[in-house]
Every structure is written in structure tokens, then in C-alpha cells.
Amino acid sequence: MATPVLDKVEKESAASPYITVTFRVRRFNPEVSDAVVWEDFQVEIDPKERVLDGLHKIKWDLDGTLTFRRSCAHGICGSDAMRINGKNRLACKTLIKDLNPEKPITIEPIKGLTVLKDLVVDMEPFFQAYRDVMPFLITKGNEPTRERKQSPEDRERFDDTTKCILCAACTSSCPVFWNDGQYFGPAAIVNAHRFIFDSRDEGGEQRLEILNDKDGVWRCRTTFNCTDACPRGIEITKAIQEVKRALITRRF
Amino acid sequence: MSADTTSAIGPVEGASFDVDNPAPYIEAPRKRTGRTPRATRGNFEMAAWLFMRLSGVVLVVLVLGHLLIQLFLDGGVSKIGFAFVAGRWASPFWQVWDLLMLWLAMLHGCNGLRTVINDYAERANTRLWLKGLLYTATVFTILLGTLVIFTFDPNIR
């Protein structure tokens, strides 16, 4: 039994799965220059690996000064959203083979936020908008002695928007946010939606009033960039439309 | 990183950047911060958004009907003259039609341009001037058109 397995391993190593991929990374280091430089790195990589693995190889083996955020590396923490081949994605969920490795793979920081170094951006305006919609349970009256119960149907109502990981891929793909960072942005509206349509929450009216602002949901131009960018597949534009509908039906 | 440290703004005296003297960040012109004013209460933006949808639907009927009557039916564009306009505006129905079309189209277009200015003009001053120009032109056109429709005199020499 051992022999055929050994044969197979030898055969696989003979035909190496590794290919050479060019990573074209947008570099910015304020401690060296105020200019932005595109730098090419040649990396030996298995096409079944992810872009994040390529960035790791660059940082660990080629150039230790390459700076990017990543934490869990498995698409949950939302740290490594970046613009890969002109599209906002998570580096840890994008496979090399899905990107046409023949051509250089361009990697940029997400747009619309201040670049601090290489692929690291200042997320503060993004989280400020998130805080502004009060993303926590608001209730009135006394606390119940047991858990707050909810029917499966009521839970289903806002299920889609609970999936948000706050990676900012949607907000930084929004053309309105690029031009005017005052807009709440899709991510904040998604997280408001998660509580507005929660049957246990009683702060929906307050949140709707906040999103009725001139920089609120009415600035959405339904370009669907956010829905395309979302690595969790949340129907973001639909959520924004639902908030708009709730605002209109509340008034009339 | 490569030794390519050329500056985007050219060699300026004292413009070499290092750890103690980092390059300035290119900040977004309008950032959301904790001090961003919670400006608008009231439903103006919602009303504007709803108006765009509703007026758009009405305008489809009004404008397509207008184009059909003016350009295609009964001799087409060649029939249009002073007499044709005078004959149409003798009827209150066409007066109301044209008045409605004027007001809805102007407000619809004005509101559309207002959102474009809001989206694209970054500096507060640019916004102010562009919007001022826009509102002036809109009010002027609406008032002039309304005046003409109501004071139209078919017997003018």
C-alpha cells in the first residue's frame, strides 16, 4: 500500500504546480517619499493559493517593508480588503487561478480613505459612520428576566445584513463615498438595517431619523457597486432600498 | 522598496522625507469625523427623492405626448407656427399640459443637477456658487415660461 502512494507523490512533485506570478503593488511610504510607486514582485506560487499567500511570500521572503493588514486570513475578520485587479475583494478569499495569472495582478489600497502606508488606509471615517447609526440593541422598559425571544421568521427578516464583517469593501467601492466622504456609506446602512428590522429592537425610529439625513440613504444612486464588492454576498443595495421604503412608509 | 524616491512635487528645499519628517498624507477633502454636524432634520431629501420618481413617471407621458403631437402627428414639425401655438393655447387643457410640463421638467432637472453638484463639487464655495447659479437659472426659466403661458395674447402685432 505504501509504494503506490510514494509513486504518486514523486509524480506530483515532478510536475510542479508552481507558476510565476507578477504582483504589481501600489506602494506608498511617507517616511521615504511622498510619491506613489508601483512595484512588481515575481512570486513562485501555486495557482490554488490565495492573493494573501502571495503577499505573505513577498513580505516574508522578498521585501519585509510591504505593509498590509490581515488578521484571521480566512475571510471573517475583514482586515484585508483591497483593490485587486481594480475590484474590491478580500485578499484571503481571492484565488490566484481566478484572476488570470498570465497578467500582472494589481493590488491597491481601497479607495476613498486616506492611505497611511502601502495597503493600509485610515479606517476612522468608515467606523465613525458605523458608530453614528448606533449599531447596538436599544430597548425600553425593564430588562426581561429571560432571553429576548424571536420567531424564526422575525430572525429571517434581517438575516442577510447580520453577515457584515466591516471590511469596508462596499463603502470604498461606492462612487458617492469617493467623491464625498460625508455619505454614511453602504456598510453603515447595512448595519443600521440589521437593527431597524430586528423585532427585539426599539431604536428603529432613531436610526431611521439618522439615515434620513442629507448624507443618509437618499444619497444612494443604486449603482450596485457595493453588492458586487461584498465578499459575504450581502444584497447591500436591496438593504438600502428597504431602509428607504421604511422611511417612506413611516411618513405616509 | 526600490531606491526610487522621486518626489511628486519635484525637488523642493527640505523636501527629503524620513522617519522624523514624513510626507504629508493625501487626505480626503471631505471626511466624516466625530465633529461632522448632524445637520438636517426634516424630510427635504426624502421629498426630493420621491419627487424625482413621481415627476419622472408623469414626465414620460407629458414629454412623449408633447413630442408626438408637435413632431409627428398631423403634418409633423412643418405645421408649427405662431397660429398653431395660438390655437393650442386657446384651450385650457393644453395650457395646463404645458404649464405642468414646464414646472415638472424644470424642477426635475434642477433637482438632478443639485444632486450632481452635491456628489461632485468638493469645496463648500464651489457648491455654493454652482447651486446659486442653478437656482437662479431655474427660477428665471420657470417664471418666464409661466408668465408667457398665462399672458399669451394671440392678437399681438
Side-chain angles (χ1 to χ4, degrees):
Chain A
M1 201 56 198
T3 320
V5 171
L6 205 67
D7 276 354
K8 207 182 167 202
V9 166
E10 275 169 1
K11 203 180 272 177
E12 266 185 9
S13 62
S16 166
Y18 286 82
I19 57 168
T20 306
V21 177
T22 306
F23 282 80
R24 185 161 290 170
V25 187
R26 194 174 191 270
R27 306 289 307 268
F28 170 70
N29 184 351
E31 292 174 359
V32 173
S33 164
D34 60 350
V36 164
V37 189
W38 286 91
E39 198 174 357
D40 282 7
F41 297 96
Q42 307 282 334
V43 180
E44 292 279 309
I45 198 165
D46 186 332
K48 293 191 289 298
E49 286 188 280
R50 307 158 302 170
V51 170
L52 184 65
D53 298 313
L55 290 174
H56 278 153
K57 283 185 194 211
I58 294 170
K59 186 165 178 70
W60 294 339
D61 301 340
L62 299 174
D63 185 350
T65 65
L66 179 69
T67 310
F68 55 92
R69 284 198 184 104
R70 77 105 171 82
S71 186
C72 77
H74 289 83
I76 292 299
C77 71
S79 307
D80 63 349
M82 47 188 80
R83 218 168 141 79
I84 299 167
N85 277 0
K87 207 174 161 235
N88 282 3
R89 315 174 213 234
L90 294 183
C92 57
K93 284 185 88 176
T94 312
L95 300 186
I96 302 289
K97 68 183 174 65
D98 297 335
L99 285 175
N100 184 14
E102 317 272 303
K103 287 188 185 162
I105 295 171
T106 62
I107 299 173
E108 301 162 72
I110 47 179
K111 275 177 75 170
L113 295 162
T114 304
V115 179
L116 301 181
K117 189 182 178 188
D118 291 348
L119 302 173
V120 174
V121 297
D122 177 15
M123 298 279 277
E124 189 46 37
F126 172 80
F127 284 119
Q128 184 60 48
Y130 176 58
R131 284 193 290 270
D132 283 348
V133 299
M134 302 190 291
F136 39 79
L137 190 77
I138 299 173
T139 56
K140 297 190 210 83
N142 297 327
E143 293 228 345
T145 49
R146 302 191 306 168
E147 71 271 27
R148 299 174 197 275
K149 286 193 173 173
Q150 187 170 43
S151 70
E153 294 76 40
D154 284 345
R155 177 61 177 72
E156 188 60 35
R157 179 69 192 85
F158 61 93
D159 183 65
D160 201 33
T161 44
T162 60
K163 298 174 192 162
C164 178
I165 56 172
L166 294 171
C167 65
C170 57
T171 295
S172 62
S173 74
C174 175
V176 179
F177 185 78
W178 293 339
N179 285 305
D180 187 355
Q182 304 278 303
Y183 175 44
F184 275 91
I189 299 173
V190 157
N191 285 283
H193 177 284
R194 181 250 173 274
F195 286 99
I196 289 168
F197 294 97
D198 188 337
S199 60
R200 298 164 295 186
D201 185 85
E202 290 166 68
E205 184 66 22
Q206 271 172 280
R207 291 194 189 86
L208 285 174
E209 195 52 59
I210 290 167
L211 291 177
N212 200 19
D213 189 270
K214 75 173 160 51
D215 296 310
V217 286
W218 308 112
R219 297 209 69 175
C220 171
R221 305 277 170 267
T222 43
T223 55
F224 284 89
N225 278 20
C226 48
T227 307
D228 289 343
C230 182
R232 306 300 309 264
I234 302 173
E235 295 178 296
I236 301 175
T237 314
K238 185 181 168 199
I240 298 175
Q241 293 304 101
E242 283 174 359
V243 174
K244 283 181 188 167
R245 181 176 302 158
L247 270 166
I248 290 173
T249 50
R250 188 183 60 137
R251 286 282 184 267
F252 301 106
Chain B
M1 199 179 156
S2 66
D4 184 7
T5 57
T6 47
S7 167
I9 52 169
V12 181
E13 196 179 343
S16 62
F17 301 108
D18 56 39
V19 180
D20 300 321
N21 178 32
Y25 294 127
I26 301 171
E27 305 241 1
R30 288 163 60 77
K31 248 163 80 160
R32 188 176 199 90
T33 63
R35 278 170 284 118
T36 298
R38 296 274 180 79
T40 51
R41 286 291 175 265
N43 297 313
F44 177 74
E45 288 296 326
M46 179 171 74
W49 188 88
L50 261 181
F51 172 78
M52 287 308 264
R53 270 77 199 161
L54 299 177
S55 66
V57 171
V58 179
L59 276 170
V60 166
V61 177
L62 290 179
V63 173
L64 286 183
H66 178 81
L67 289 177
L68 198 69
I69 293 163
Q70 304 279 315
L71 305 181
F72 293 104
L73 300 181
D74 196 22
V77 72
S78 57
K79 67 169 185 285
I80 294 181
F82 187 85
F84 178 73
V85 175
R88 275 182 90 227
W89 278 354
S91 144
F93 176 78
W94 294 115
Q95 275 189 343
V96 170
W97 181 299
D98 280 5
L99 194 70
L100 204 60
M101 195 163 66
L102 171 77
W103 277 72
L104 288 183
M106 283 309 293
L107 292 177
H108 187 96
C110 175
N111 195 24
L113 277 174
R114 184 184 68 90
T115 58
V116 171
I117 292 169
N118 276 342
D119 281 358
Y120 286 97
E122 282 167 358
R123 277 177 297 161
N125 251 337
T126 322
R127 284 162 178 252
L128 186 75
W129 282 105
L130 285 176
K131 281 191 201 170
L133 193 70
L134 173 70
Y135 295 152
T136 314
T138 307
V139 168
F140 176 76
T141 314
I142 288 180
L143 288 184
L144 186 69
T146 311
L147 187 77
V148 168
I149 291 177
F150 278 126
T151 61
F152 179 74
D153 179 10
N155 302 317
I156 199 168
R157 278 189 297 116

